[in-house]
Amino acid sequence: MLTKLTHRHSYKNGFTQELQEAIRAMKAIETIIPICSFCGHVRQDNGVWAEDTSVNIDLPGVNHSHGICPSCVQKQFPQQYQAIIKQAASR
């Protein structure tokens, strides 16, 4: 009986630790802010790229990644943009 309780306790502790690690990973992902490499616009949670001066990317725990907003893709890479539009229209 004691062996079963010890095993159950060990399993519960392992599961709890895995769950805590998963939560930490999710919080890290939530603090990544995509910023356009060309114009500096920030992609918001709803997917819209906007010039958002209220976002402070220098806060502790906030990370940023570089991307390219749709309007900069259109300006900087017009041929690739047209190919993407055609591909999306054919779906």
Side-chain angles (χ1 to χ4, degrees):
M1 173 99 176
L2 184 59
T3 306
K4 285 184 180 180
L5 287 174
T6 304
H7 179 65
R8 190 177 298 161
H9 182 71
S10 174
Y11 176 77
K12 182 180 176 185
N13 284 344
F15 179 74
T16 302
Q17 190 173 24
E18 286 181 37
L19 185 57
Q20 288 172 340
E21 289 173 13
I23 290 170
R24 275 193 293 275
M26 287 173 53
K27 285 182 179 179
I29 291 171
E30 288 176 352
T31 60
I32 296 175
I33 300 174
I35 300 173
C36 179
S37 297
F38 291 95
C39 67
H41 287 174
V42 176
R43 191 178 76 206
Q44 300 172 347
D45 289 340
N46 61 2
V48 175
W49 290 82
E51 185 175 358
D52 192 350
T53 56
S54 67
V55 176
N56 187 351
I57 61 169
D58 296 326
L59 290 173
V62 175
N63 299 302
H64 66 278
S65 71
H66 288 92
I68 303 175
C69 71
S71 56
C72 285
V73 169
Q74 187 176 11
K75 291 175 196 170
Q76 302 294 327
F77 308 101
Q79 292 175 336
Q80 290 85 348
Y81 179 80
Q82 289 303 318
I84 291 168
I85 296 300
K86 285 179 186 177
Q87 184 179 20
S90 67
R91 288 185 184 174

